[in-house]
């Protein structure tokens, strides 16, 4: 049985070693790239509007029409959702390692391609961009279940939560890098190509070279992914996959002996008997009985969290404009606007997003996943209502800084809270041969929430007065009511957290019930795997 396999015990009790850190970096660079690629689009959407949707004689710079804006912002999410389901399933079928290289190559190629375009007019540029951002998202999607699973299967019992959370925390650095790089590029172009503000000279305010700015920002996303490809290919397959799914305990032992730099005795036939009660499939009654509620818990909490998380991220620039951090569009030229948006986004990332992730890394194995997730949802609920109920108070000039502080705190508690734990837990509580699939399903449910958050709230947050809504949008329920809705969403997240078991300090086999005794297993009705 699983618990008799020395190689798994060796992994569970292994001292934290250099290879744990290299695994974090190799898996984490994928996440760094994911975040850079997913979030850098919000830095350049205003610029795309100015370049390709300029209206002759308009008082305000051109903006992306609603359907185009929704497509540009959301097509990568649709790709990610499909990628999570597909690669999650493939990771359990073919092994983690084989699939891991594919997702990375896809990300490299599509990052570069999304900065190129077939043709010059708006339609050609946006179509190319959307096509490649979909496939970029597809590759990014694969990274979620695979990175989490690989890290959980490599780690030891004591620090497993921190390692998986550290992989995910690289997202914070990815968002930060996107902002910093956009600042550098926009400053370089601004000093080189001076331009008047839009209100002074509409045409001249967008220099022809501005077209390079967004392309460079998008294409640089390929670099970190390309740099880690070689190291990813050198990682051995995880011992748990080799021993429990591929049923080759001897290979698992020899792979891990190299990695752990200690002799693990190869065992042949113990793994052969490792079958029986634990061969139920995803769609079996046995899975439903053991893990049905767990899967419901991981999918709903991730879904609810992402509604709140992604709607916030996409509103950043609107919120900054509302509180006056970013001046009115017509008072700036095109490149200046990119600079201001990037600066504001970088500040928020630096002050709240990044520290939040690392608080989780530091504390997840001490206070547990459950406590962190519950606390995160609780504070997100509190701050959302605190922003929404006295919303008019926050819109006054003198209260702006207070508003930004509260807004930053919701981000901080998303990351020192459910944004990290919803990623960690699905990689720990399901059986090895379904682990990557179940993580993919949970993550895809999250992306569905992101799509609801990104698109639903794009329309909802519009001003109730049609005349004051953004060009081309119908009237919405306003920012205040949107924030109230998000408060309720966070509260529901808190309730669904109670379905998810605590996995702190337990081995993966203990969590998934893979080390139940054979005779115990024979009482279960044996279900044919699907």
């Amino acid at each position: 049985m699983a618990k008799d396999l020395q190689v798994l015990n060796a992994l569970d009790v292994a001292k934290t070693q250099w290879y744990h850190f290299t695994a974090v970096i190799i898996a984490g660079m994928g996440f760094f790239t994911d975040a850079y690629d997913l979030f850098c689009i919000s830095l350049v959407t205003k610029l795309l509007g100015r370049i390709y949707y300029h209206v002759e004689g308009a008082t305000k710079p051109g903006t992306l029409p609603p359907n185009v804006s929704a497509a540009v912002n959301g097509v990568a999410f649709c790709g990610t959702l499909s990628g999570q389901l597909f690669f999650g399933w493939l990771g359990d079928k073919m092994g983690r390692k084989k699939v891991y290289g594919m997702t990375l190559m896809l990300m490299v190629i599509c990052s570069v391609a999304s900065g190129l375009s077939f043709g010059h007019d708006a339609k050609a540029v946006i179509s190319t961009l959307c096509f490649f951002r979909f496939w970029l998202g597809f590759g990014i999607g694969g990274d979620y279940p695979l990175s989490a699973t690989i890290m959980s299967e490599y780690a030891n019992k004591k620090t497993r939560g921190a390692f998986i959370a550290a992989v995910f925390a690289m997202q914070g650095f990815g968002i930060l890098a996107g902002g910093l790089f956009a600042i550098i590029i926009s400053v370089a172009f601004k000093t080189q190509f001076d331009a008047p503000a839009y209100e002074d000279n509409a045409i001249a305010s967008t220099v022809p070279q501005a077209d390079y700015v967004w392309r460079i920002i998008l294409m640089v996303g390929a670099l970190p992914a390309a740099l880690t490809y070689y190291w990813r290919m050198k990682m051995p397959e995880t011992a748990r996959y080799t021993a429990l799914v591929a049923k080759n305990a001897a290979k698992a032992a020899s792979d891990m002996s190299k990695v752990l730099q200690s002799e693990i005795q190869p065992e042949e036939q113990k793994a052969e008997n490792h079958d029986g009660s634990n061969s139920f499939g995803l769609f079996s009654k046995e899975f439903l009985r053991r893990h049905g509620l767990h899967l419901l818990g991981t999918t709903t909490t991730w879904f609810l969290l992402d509604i709140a998380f992604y709607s916030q991220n996409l509103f950043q620039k609107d919120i900054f404009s509302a509180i006056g951090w970013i001046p009115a569009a017509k008072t700036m030229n095109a490149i200046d606007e990119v600079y201001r948006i990037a600066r504001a986004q970088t500040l928020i990332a630096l002050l709240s997003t990044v520290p939040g992730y690392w608080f989780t890394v530091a504390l997840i194995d001490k206070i547990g996943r459950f406590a962190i997730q519950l606390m995160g949802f609780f504070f997100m609920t509190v701050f959302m209502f605190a922003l929404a109920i006295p919303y008019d108070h926050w819109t006054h000039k003198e209260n702006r800084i207070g508003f930004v502080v509260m807004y930053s705190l919701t981000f901080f508690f998303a990351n020192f809270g459910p944004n990290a734990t919803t990623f960690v837990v699905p990689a720990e509580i399901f059986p090895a041969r379904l682990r990557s699939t179940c993580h993919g399903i949970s993550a895809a449910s999250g992306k569905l929430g992101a799509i609801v958050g990104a698109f639903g709230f794009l329309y909802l947050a519009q001003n109730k007065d049609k005349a004051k809504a953004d060009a081309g949008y119908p009237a919405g329920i306003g920012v205040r009511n949107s924030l109230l809705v998000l408060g309720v969403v966070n509260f529901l997240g808190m309730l669904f957290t109670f379905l998810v078991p605590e996995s702190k300090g337990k081995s993966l086999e203990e969590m998934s019930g893979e080390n139940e005794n054979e005779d115990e297993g024979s009482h279960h009705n044996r279900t044919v795997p699907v």
Side-chain angles (χ1 to χ4, degrees):
M1 291 309 300
K3 69 173 168 194
D4 304 330
L5 284 174
Q6 273 186 352
V7 62
L8 303 189
N9 293 337
L11 277 170
D12 276 337
V13 297
K15 288 202 293 292
T16 301
Q17 300 174 26
W18 182 239
Y19 95 92
H20 284 113
F21 293 107
T22 50
V24 166
I25 291 166
I26 295 167
M29 281 318 279
F31 259 82
F32 176 90
T33 313
D34 296 351
Y36 180 97
D37 288 336
L38 282 178
F39 292 103
C40 68
I41 195 73
S42 65
L43 298 165
V44 299
T45 43
K46 298 258 193 207
L47 179 63
L48 288 169
R50 283 188 186 236
I51 298 173
Y52 294 104
Y53 292 91
H54 171 70
V55 180
E56 207 48 59
T59 53
K60 283 187 190 157
T63 53
L64 298 180
N67 55 344
V68 174
S69 173
V72 168
N73 277 312
V75 69
F77 291 152
C78 302
T80 307
L81 191 152
S82 345
Q84 284 162 335
L85 292 171
F86 175 72
F87 286 118
W89 167 79
L90 205 60
D92 282 334
K93 283 280 170 279
M94 289 175 59
R96 329 299 189 209
K97 181 194 163 172
K98 277 189 185 138
V99 183
Y100 214 20
M102 293 182 209
T103 61
L104 211 53
M105 279 326 290
L106 198 57
M107 281 155 62
V108 171
I109 293 163
C110 296
S111 279
V112 173
S114 59
L116 306 169
S117 54
F118 306 129
H120 292 294
D121 62 328
K123 203 168 178 182
V125 172
I126 300 294
S127 312
T128 313
L129 178 62
C130 288
F131 176 78
F132 286 113
R133 286 209 40 102
F134 175 84
W135 290 107
L136 173 66
F138 194 70
I140 289 173
D143 229 35
Y144 276 73
L146 293 168
S147 292
T149 305
I150 284 174
M151 209 54 239
S152 77
E153 293 183 343
Y154 261 122
N156 58 27
K157 274 198 300 207
K158 216 166 69 220
T159 55
R160 186 180 61 229
F163 281 131
I164 307 173
V167 168
F168 194 61
M170 296 296 276
Q171 237 190 1
F173 290 128
I175 296 173
L176 195 61
L180 286 171
F181 185 69
I183 289 176
I184 294 166
I185 288 293
S186 53
V187 167
F189 272 80
K190 219 162 65 166
T191 45
Q192 198 61 40
F193 309 103
D194 196 29
Y198 183 87
E199 52 190 1
D200 299 334
N201 184 338
I203 300 287
S205 73
T206 307
V207 293
Q209 291 82 358
D211 198 42
Y212 293 122
V213 173
W214 68 269
R215 296 174 190 271
I216 294 170
I217 291 172
L218 294 184
M219 288 163 110
V220 161
L223 275 179
L227 294 174
T228 41
Y229 184 73
Y230 168 75
W231 298 107
R232 242 184 215 197
M233 292 295 88
K234 278 186 66 173
M235 281 173 98
E237 181 55 84
T238 73
R240 286 189 161 90
Y241 184 84
T242 310
L244 300 178
V245 187
K247 304 275 191 287
N248 186 345
K251 171 123 177 64
S254 82
D255 280 348
M256 288 304 111
S257 296
K258 283 183 213 133
V259 171
L260 290 167
Q261 289 157 352
S262 67
E263 197 47 49
I264 300 171
Q265 287 308 315
E267 305 146 279
E268 268 307 324
Q269 96 328 299
K270 280 183 196 163
E272 293 306 312
N273 328 335
H274 175 63
D275 206 18
S277 72
N278 284 317
S279 54
F280 55 87
L282 184 65
F283 299 109
S284 61
K285 284 191 181 126
E286 186 66 7
F287 179 85
L288 191 68
R289 185 181 74 77
R290 292 191 189 191
H291 300 293
L293 281 176
H294 298 166
L295 191 59
L296 180 68
T298 56
T299 48
T300 47
T301 49
W302 206 336
F303 173 75
L304 292 162
L305 161 84
D306 272 9
I307 292 180
F309 189 73
Y310 281 89
S311 56
Q312 273 183 298
N313 252 321
L314 289 165
F315 293 138
Q316 271 194 14
K317 49 185 189 297
D318 305 330
I319 284 177
F320 294 143
S321 307
I323 58 169
W325 263 23
I326 295 176
K330 61 180 182 188
T331 63
M332 302 178 278
N333 65 43
I335 295 175
D336 198 27
E337 189 172 38
V338 175
Y339 167 73
R340 298 288 183 110
I341 293 170
R343 194 180 60 175
Q345 208 156 310
T346 308
L347 264 171
I348 289 279
L350 202 57
L351 300 177
S352 66
T353 314
V354 173
Y357 285 114
W358 293 100
F359 263 80
T360 304
V361 174
L363 296 170
I364 190 165
D365 287 312
K366 294 187 177 60
I367 60 179
R369 290 71 166 144
F370 179 78
I372 289 181
Q373 186 160 315
L374 203 61
M375 175 206 66
F377 270 130
F378 171 75
F379 281 114
M380 285 167 75
T381 310
V382 170
F383 289 122
M384 282 293 183
F385 285 135
L387 284 176
I389 296 165
Y391 184 69
D392 293 334
H393 165 81
W394 297 117
T395 51
H396 298 307
K397 231 185 175 102
E398 63 275 13
N399 304 324
R400 280 176 184 167
I401 296 298
F403 182 84
V404 173
V405 170
M406 300 278 276
Y407 180 71
S408 298
L409 280 168
T410 46
F411 260 103
F412 175 78
F413 281 108
N415 295 324
F416 178 35
N419 195 29
T421 53
T422 50
F423 177 79
V424 173
V425 175
E428 301 182 312
I429 61 179
F430 299 108
R433 64 179 187 290
L434 299 171
R435 187 170 289 135
S436 167
T437 306
C438 290
H439 193 286
I441 292 169
S442 307
S445 165
K447 272 296 160 285
L448 194 62
I451 293 169
V452 171
F455 297 127
F457 285 90
L458 196 65
Y459 288 92
L460 278 181
Q462 293 298 331
N463 202 303
K464 291 186 214 168
D465 175 2
K466 173 95 173 77
K468 291 185 184 163
D470 290 347
Y473 286 86
I477 59 173
V479 176
R480 176 176 183 241
N481 292 344
S482 299
L483 289 168
L484 283 172
V485 173
L486 291 176
V488 175
V489 166
N490 289 327
F491 180 70
L492 289 173
M494 207 160 78
L495 298 182
F496 278 106
T497 297
F498 286 97
L499 293 176
V500 183
E502 175 58 76
S503 42
K504 172 169 79 104
K506 294 181 179 161
S507 82
L508 294 177
E509 287 67 42
E510 209 179 320
M511 280 310 299
S512 61
E514 278 171 295
N515 59 5
E516 287 181 8
N517 285 329
E518 191 62 39
D519 48 64
E520 216 181 293
S522 57
H523 298 310
H524 296 314
N525 51 346
R526 298 213 170 160
T527 341
V528 185
V530 175

